[in-house]
Amino acid sequence: MNRLESLYKPFYCSLMCTLFLIANNIDTHAFPNQSAINDSLRIGLVLSGGGAKGIAHIGVIEAIEEAGIRIDYISGTSMGALVGGLYAMGYTTEQLREIVESNNFNELFLDRRRRVYISNYEKLSDERALLSIPISGRGISLPSGVISGQNIYTLLSRLSWNMGHIRDFDDLPVPFTAVATDLETGNDAVLRSGYLPDALRASISIPSIFTPIEIEDRIYVDGGLIRNLPVQDALDMGANYTIAVYVGSKLEDRSRLNSLTSILNQTVSFRINENVERQQDLADYFVEVTGLEDFTAADFGRADTLLKIGRHIGQQHLEAFREIAEMQNTSPAYRPGAGPPEPLLISQIVIEGNTIYEDAVLINLLGFVPGSKLDPDIIEESISQLYSSTFIKNVHYRVEDIGGEFVLHIRVIEDLENKFRLGARYENKTKASILLNASFQNLIHSGSLTQFEARLGEQLNFRVEHTYFSIMGSRSAFLSAFEFENEVVEWYAGNDIVSRHDNTILRGELSWGNYFSTNNLIAFGVRKGFTQQSNQINQDQIRSTDRDYHALFVRYMRDKLNRKSFPVGGRKLKFQSFVSDQVIFSPIDFSSTSFNYQINTSISSGLTFRNSIWLGYSTGSELPWGYWISPNRHDPFLDVLRFGGADRYQLSSRNAQVVSTGIQIEPFYHWFIGLDAFGGRFLNNWDTDLNQNDIDFSFSLSLGTLTLLGPIELILSRSRFYNFHTELHVGFRF
């Protein structure tokens, strides 16, 4: 037995640790429990935690199978619990290997809601913040974890679909134990019964990475903190011979202890290492997977290499494994592997954990009817829709067999937190900007959402918004907003700036619409605006009016883009129209209408066609600045309407007719190359005479990527009438 010097690091980035959760479910009747109670040698397999390095466990298990060892018990911690839990349920090593090699795990841990299902209200302001943290009664506080685990838990539920009736983990094809840590007491939690996804989720709940999980009024975090190599637990199950496989990290030498993080990890690892050494002494055969020094716990992208290392180590121990197999009287049973989940006839739907949504509202959102046959695909599509709803933090499901009838349990964790959000953006034309946003639920009265927002930078914006939806689950709401905005507006003649002024707007609006619908938004309202122009240069060249006004408006939106930045699928249609007239006692007469339609079509993996049309039409001799058509300038409703080769404000006009077409290539994950062509007319007076020589053409080439800081994009463009342009954008638009 080798001497252990490896350690477990509690702060590894184990958000990738549910690597193996996306396979199909197991047919639990395919083979019997493999424990041979009467055999003189009952073997327990012990698998340690280690993040992505736990992929190597698969290679070692392959060697154990090749040697003919019958595994009677499995205990695991963290990543070891995931691999061990899947194997205990019946997954073959070949299936585990296929999962590792064929899946991208970045998306699994993002807990990103599907944009197509979020409300229109949220679509108007999504993808803007870098950071979102709770606001408690004592001020801003840190969240309990970076990852809530929605996607992980959903996949765990899918995985255990055909095992919903099993509550005693001894009844699995191979008896299984997962180890977690009780967060309140610091004691170990040996999970041998209950709902298997709960046990696995608890064992992988790395503090500060995953939010803790609550099971029967106890709060659990990662078991590696208390016992990263659970040999004793395999013995307690009934094993009289244990094979322990360790993939954890070693203590760092002094040359690497040069940062706050490395020192903190090292000090916390002392206690963990002591426990690992004690557990190692209990093991009958110890396998240390060496060659992992250059790997981190988040290296899921190097899965092929980790599998090879595991196989290599397994082959080194193959002869010893064969000797162990010869000591057993009974050979391992045949493992047919995973089978597809079978639809189940659901006799009852039980909603749990809801306090603000009524059961009927949630069941209506899910679209389930008792007496229907459901499978994981159907349930998860509806779960995804519910998870994307306003005020929902997590949605978990499980199916329970009660006397031969299947009951679907939906557990809702509601999001009742007030939040503070921070956004940051840099553009080479407008420099840096910062977004500060605070949202409060039920601040003024029940059934309301109040937001305070500030945009600091070259363009200043302060906004207070109050949304009153009254009944939770209602899709209609009243929205009132007060806004202050200041920016320096430049007026162009060709490539030359001929005028400039500070434009200050104070406006308020009241509207009603189905803001919380996920499909079509239709809203009607009234707006009152006050405008002031100051620091005017060449006043006679300023074309917008500074007179006050009030206007009626209507908005329509249908946004089905899969994301705002670099979408690879979906369509978006936006329309808004304002009318100011003396009939409604406004001092000035004008109208302004905008229409934008965008479609993104995925042709193949990594190739998207994108096309758009954009029309702007206005009437009236006096038109306030906010109603001019200005390409490449952010609009709170229309977002940014691009035209290559022009500065912001350079093409400001009363009327516009623009079309664009292009392709987007994704050669690597979340890296994009775009090539677009634009054609447009920017007119003082609307006409459809396309024979005139006033059509501008432009082309742009872009390179972009999605990062933790938001999208980063470099754009090179040139138009028929204007100069060559280079743009650099870093961060979400706001």
Side-chain angles (χ1 to χ4, degrees), residues 667-678:
F668 309 105
Y669 178 71
H670 280 179
W671 281 87
F672 305 93
I673 300 172
L675 181 63
D676 296 276
F678 303 84

Side-chain angles (χ1 to χ4, degrees), residues 51-114:
K53 292 180 285 187
I55 293 172
H57 282 313
I58 301 172
V60 177
I61 297 174
E62 286 178 346
I64 290 175
E65 287 185 330
E66 182 180 347
I69 293 177
R70 187 195 68 249
I71 300 173
D72 299 308
Y73 306 96
I74 298 176
S75 63
T77 296
S78 198
M79 190 62 168
L82 290 173
V83 177
L86 288 173
Y87 193 78
M89 286 188 286
Y91 280 90
T92 66
T93 52
E94 181 180 358
Q95 288 175 320
L96 296 179
R97 189 171 62 250
E98 289 175 356
I99 296 168
V100 169
E101 294 173 340
S102 62
N103 288 277
N104 185 319
F105 301 96
N106 292 329
E107 297 293 336
L108 179 62
F109 299 94
L110 290 177
D111 278 337
R112 182 180 290 133
R113 298 181 299 167
R114 291 181 61 181

Side-chain angles (χ1 to χ4, degrees), residues 61-356:
I61 297 174
E62 286 178 346
I64 290 175
E65 287 185 330
E66 182 180 347
I69 293 177
R70 187 195 68 249
I71 300 173
D72 299 308
Y73 306 96
I74 298 176
S75 63
T77 296
S78 198
M79 190 62 168
L82 290 173
V83 177
L86 288 173
Y87 193 78
M89 286 188 286
Y91 280 90
T92 66
T93 52
E94 181 180 358
Q95 288 175 320
L96 296 179
R97 189 171 62 250
E98 289 175 356
I99 296 168
V100 169
E101 294 173 340
S102 62
N103 288 277
N104 185 319
F105 301 96
N106 292 329
E107 297 293 336
L108 179 62
F109 299 94
L110 290 177
D111 278 337
R112 182 180 290 133
R113 298 181 299 167
R114 291 181 61 181
R115 190 173 185 274
V116 68
Y117 289 141
I118 69 174
S119 69
N120 289 312
Y121 179 78
E122 292 167 289
K123 286 175 183 174
L124 291 171
S125 59
D126 69 323
E127 295 188 24
R128 298 192 308 163
L130 288 173
L131 180 67
S132 178
I133 56 180
I135 301 176
S136 65
R138 294 172 291 180
I140 295 175
S141 59
L142 293 176
S144 58
V146 176
I147 301 172
S148 69
Q150 172 66 28
N151 293 342
I152 295 168
Y153 199 96
T154 298
L155 291 172
L156 284 168
S157 296
R158 165 185 283 268
L159 184 67
S160 62
W161 175 264
N162 288 337
M163 295 190 174
H165 62 286
I166 294 179
R167 287 296 178 266
D168 187 340
F169 300 163
D170 284 346
D171 294 334
L172 292 170
V174 180
F176 172 71
T177 290
V179 177
T181 303
D182 189 309
L183 184 59
E184 291 184 276
T185 65
N187 296 328
D188 61 351
V190 181
L191 304 175
R192 296 183 57 179
S193 63
Y195 186 48
L196 189 57
D198 283 341
L200 298 180
R201 173 65 174 82
S203 189
I204 67 171
S205 297
I206 306 301
S208 78
I209 303 298
F210 288 103
T211 58
I213 183 172
E214 182 177 340
I215 305 175
E216 296 181 355
D217 297 324
R218 304 304 302 174
I219 302 175
Y220 297 109
V221 293
D222 193 291
L225 297 173
I226 196 73
R227 191 157 55 253
N228 195 35
L229 190 67
V231 178
Q232 182 62 57
D233 303 280
L235 296 172
D236 292 342
M237 295 173 72
N240 56 17
Y241 192 97
T242 56
I243 301 173
V245 185
Y246 190 75
V247 297
S249 301
K250 297 180 179 181
L251 282 172
E252 302 286 2
D253 58 41
R254 63 185 300 170
S255 64
R256 296 194 176 189
L257 298 175
N258 50 16
S259 69
L260 176 62
T261 302
S262 63
I263 294 172
L264 182 60
N265 286 345
Q266 187 90 332
T267 56
V268 176
S269 297
F270 294 152
R271 178 189 173 192
I272 296 170
N273 181 55
E274 290 177 359
N275 187 273
V276 168
E277 291 181 344
R278 288 195 297 269
Q279 293 295 311
Q280 180 191 349
D281 291 339
L282 298 175
D284 295 284
Y285 193 85
F286 179 72
V287 178
E288 180 180 0
V289 180
T290 57
L292 301 177
E293 295 79 9
D294 295 331
F295 291 83
T296 70
D299 273 336
F300 284 82
R302 304 171 68 185
D304 288 345
T305 305
L306 288 165
L307 284 168
K308 291 177 181 178
I309 291 175
R311 291 194 197 102
H312 176 70
I313 297 298
Q315 289 301 310
Q316 289 181 352
H317 293 266
L318 183 59
E319 289 305 316
F321 288 158
R322 284 173 174 162
E323 293 177 5
I324 297 172
E326 290 176 358
M327 294 188 289
Q328 290 185 303
N329 299 329
T330 308
S331 299
Y334 171 67
R335 299 174 65 86
E342 299 180 358
L344 299 177
L345 183 64
I346 303 299
S347 61
Q348 185 181 359
I349 300 171
V350 178
I351 306 295
E352 304 167 348
N354 52 315
T355 61
I356 55 176

Side-chain angles (χ1 to χ4, degrees), residues 457-469:
E458 186 173 286
Q459 182 177 344
L460 293 175
N461 183 281
F462 300 93
R463 181 179 175 90
V464 179
E465 182 177 285
H466 181 72
T467 307
Y468 174 55
F469 44 83

